[in-house]
Amino acid sequence: MSEQLNSVLDALSRDEKASTERLFQIIRIPSISTDPAYDEACQQAAEWCANTLKEIGFEASVRQTTGKPMVVGHSQSGNGKSGPHVLFYGHYDVQPADPLDQWDTPPFEPQLKDDPKYGTVISGRGASDDKGQFMTFIEACRAWHETTGSLPVSVSVLIEGEEESGSPSLAPFLEANRDELTTDFALVCDTGQWDADTPAITTMLRGLCSSEVVITGPSRDLHSGMYGGAAHNPIRVLTNILGDLHDEDGAVQIPGFYDDVHVVSTEQRAQWDTLSFDEKQFLGQVGLQTAAGEKAHSALEQIWSRPTAEINGIVGGYTGPGTKTVIPSKASAKLTFRLVPDQDPDKIVAGFKEFILSRLPDDCSAEFLRGQGSPAVGFDISGPAFQAAAGALEDEWGKQPVFMGCGGSIPIVESFKSELGMESLLVGFALDDNQIHSPNEKYNLTSYRKGARSWARILENLSKM
Ligand code: BES
Ligand code: MN
Ligand code: MN
């Protein structure tokens, strides 16, 4: 290890308390991007990020978009032109905190808590996704800057505020700022580790697209005694059709749904087999026992290499106290589809529409509202950046990182590739039970501390590329 890196790691240890307090500051800002009531908080969070970057030597600014503001920063490496120029990406927006009554302590009042399994954890909405995670990188930069006066490689930073709402303004923003944002490759800290002791590099992300369907039967709500039997009930129509979406083996029944899906290669399967994924434990921690996806695939394959059709919400009719004898006029459902490489979001949504329309009985109609869509993305892990990161992670964790898939989605990462021609290196320190998007979200203090140390090492290894 270089003497410089040694001093940087020492600086991180010395600064631990203040570093945690800085994370608390950003968690206290309720930057929920899906709810316009928090627009002001999103602006505040963006400003906090830009000011933090300026403090550690970046030239940084908040950029307005038609949606949430973006934060962009640049820092030249100390040693002139050597090493790659990287773009670090993270998101300051968080998911809504609901249901509030299920939080042990308020979501935007971060605290250190004792956790029976992990020792000390940081609680709060965004503690893990993605404030704790992107701050591991920022804190590594701070330590490098304070110790040596600059960073070992040139770093640009992009922190957005729309990730949790599908990044609608991002594509136009990338387009308009192509030259400024295009670097040799991107670094992303928004994914997980294999387990608490084993670091990971994520090699693929699933894509995502969505659709909302509204079924209308009668032109108004009806008395179910006066019309019951003779009138179509749109809830029944909707649930009947959605009931056909999967067969008994868990396969999606939309024609053409699997047309572009590739079989996992033998090498890939062999590598995943070496991971000895504990399916019982994975399902057991959320009160389940049996994988519910396509029977021909293991739980790991179901989340990493197979697409899904998920009904996320369904509404219709009367759900208040007591009974109401009504046949509602409308019923609706929201669905999302997780995609694997080469599936086309437009084609999947079109297939879903056709699936509904072809089953619609006389006198019923369907309307569709479409959300954002982004394709899946996979990375070539043979490049030198992957090796540099793997070496750094092994030095920090005393264990080689696992190359793993990911069932989740980060829409921008595909745009980096298709719009800017950039590969991404995904290194994150979250754990499956960080409860991201759920009540009592948390981030291990160890993840935060060792995450920053990992990035400090990765930055140095990249400078030697
Ligand atoms: N950080 C997550 C993605 C993720 C989830 C990575 C699980 C690793 C494990 C990201 O913030 C996220 O939640 N993405 C959304 C995207 C959507 C709202 C467009 C997702 O995957 O649902
Ligand atoms: Mn995230
Ligand atoms: Mn998220």
Side-chain angles (χ1 to χ4, degrees):
M1 186 193 326
S2 78
E3 217 166 282
Q4 271 191 333
L5 177 59
N6 220 346
S7 314
V8 171
L9 296 177
D10 280 348
L12 279 171
S13 307
R14 273 199 312 275
D15 202 28
E16 228 178 277
K17 234 184 125 195
S19 165
T20 308
E21 178 47 39
R22 284 188 287 270
L23 174 56
F24 280 19
Q25 283 175 14
I26 180 73
I27 296 175
R28 287 190 191 109
I29 307 174
S31 42
I32 302 166
S33 63
T34 50
D35 183 346
Y38 297 90
D39 281 358
E40 182 56 43
C42 288
Q43 175 69 28
Q44 253 185 355
E47 278 161 18
W48 188 92
C49 292
N51 289 336
T52 299
L53 287 171
K54 283 180 199 159
E55 245 175 60
I56 58 171
F58 281 77
E59 194 189 290
S61 56
V62 174
R63 312 281 183 87
Q64 298 305 329
T65 68
T66 46
K68 302 291 180 282
M70 308 268 176
V71 181
V72 179
H74 303 287
S75 172
Q76 282 270 325
S77 73
N79 47 4
K81 281 200 167 13
S82 81
H85 178 186
V86 298
L87 175 73
F88 177 81
Y89 163 83
H91 62 94
Y92 67 71
D93 64 321
V94 297
Q95 287 272 325
D98 313 67
L100 280 176
D101 60 354
Q102 285 181 32
W103 285 79
D104 297 334
T105 53
F108 299 107
E109 293 173 24
Q111 300 183 22
L112 291 178
K113 288 182 182 163
D114 286 327
D115 185 283
K117 196 163 157 199
Y118 297 118
T120 309
V121 299
I122 301 159
S123 71
R125 170 59 83 233
S128 172
D129 186 11
D130 183 37
K131 290 172 173 173
Q133 296 249 69
F134 83 68
M135 282 294 286
T136 59
F137 183 83
I138 305 291
E139 289 297 311
C141 291
R142 178 184 293 273
W144 267 104
H145 179 257
E146 279 175 4
T147 309
T148 70
S150 63
L151 303 182
V153 291
S154 292
V155 176
S156 294
V157 169
L158 171 65
I159 304 177
E160 70 154 318
E162 290 183 347
E163 197 275 344
E164 301 292 7
S165 35
S167 305
S169 334
L170 212 98
F173 188 77
L174 291 186
E175 177 84 17
N177 299 278
R178 175 183 300 275
D179 290 344
E180 186 183 358
L181 297 174
T182 305
T183 64
D184 294 310
F185 53 87
L187 302 176
V188 178
C189 190
D190 196 21
T191 50
Q193 295 207 150
W194 175 247
D195 62 31
D197 309 312
T198 319
I201 296 178
T202 293
T203 62
M204 52 90 36
L205 291 166
R206 284 198 289 191
L208 189 73
C209 58
S210 61
S211 183
E212 179 171 357
V213 55
V214 185
I215 306 274
T216 305
S219 57
R220 59 175 173 81
D221 287 6
L222 303 175
H223 188 293
S224 69
M226 200 177 292
Y227 279 96
H232 272 302
N233 182 324
I235 302 179
R236 198 174 108 208
V237 171
L238 178 65
T239 53
N240 264 338
I241 300 178
L242 293 181
D244 283 344
L245 200 54
H246 297 83
D247 70 8
E248 308 91 86
D249 293 332
V252 177
Q253 296 303 289
I254 297 172
F257 189 76
Y258 294 101
D259 278 3
D260 302 314
V261 176
H262 300 276
V263 189
V264 175
S265 71
T266 6
E267 298 86 50
Q268 182 66 93
R269 197 184 286 259
Q271 189 240 326
W272 288 353
D273 282 346
T274 66
L275 301 177
S276 346
F277 178 65
D278 190 342
E279 195 166 314
K280 282 256 157 343
Q281 193 265 334
F282 175 69
L283 293 170
Q285 67 187 356
V286 292
L288 303 173
Q289 278 186 312
T290 317
E294 295 168 275
K295 289 222 169 64
H297 298 272
S298 69
L300 197 69
E301 286 170 19
Q302 288 173 15
I303 54 174
W304 286 359
S305 67
R306 302 297 295 172
T308 65
E310 213 66 73
I311 306 163
N312 303 121
I314 181 160
V315 271
Y318 181 74
T319 57
T323 51
K324 184 181 184 201
T325 50
V326 64
I327 297 171
S329 166
K330 290 178 192 299
S332 70
K334 288 189 178 223
L335 289 94
T336 51
F337 304 87
R338 294 279 169 187
L339 311 176
V340 297
D342 288 334
Q343 279 185 301
D344 173 1
D346 293 335
K347 193 168 149 189
I348 296 302
V349 172
F352 171 67
K353 266 170 104 164
E354 187 47 38
F355 183 84
I356 300 269
L357 292 173
S358 64
R359 284 168 176 73
L360 218 51
D362 286 349
D363 290 344
C364 290
S365 63
E367 256 181 290
F368 297 88
L369 293 142
R370 211 216 131 148
Q372 297 287 320
S374 66
V377 58
F379 312 105
D380 171 16
I381 56 169
S382 63
F386 279 84
Q387 298 315 313
L393 288 170
E394 186 174 356
D395 290 344
E396 175 60 27
W397 296 83
K399 250 179 162 184
Q400 278 186 1
V402 164
F403 287 94
M404 61 186 236
C406 178
S409 312
I410 308 172
I412 194 180
V413 174
E414 197 277 332
S415 312
F416 283 159
K417 197 163 186 165
S418 58
E419 302 283 321
L420 304 183
M422 282 157 65
E423 288 285 328
S424 298
L425 174 62
L426 277 65
V427 177
F429 308 96
L431 297 175
D432 284 346
D433 56 0
N434 277 173
Q435 300 180 211
I436 64 170
H437 297 202
S438 303
N440 299 316
E441 179 174 350
K442 60 189 176 167
Y443 200 44
N444 291 4
L445 192 56
T446 328
S447 307
Y448 189 50
R449 196 170 56 82
K450 285 177 81 67
R453 291 171 58 90
S454 301
W455 284 118
R457 293 177 189 272
I458 292 173
L459 287 173
E460 175 170 85
N461 275 11
L462 292 177
S463 74
K464 297 191 212 136
M465 253 171 74

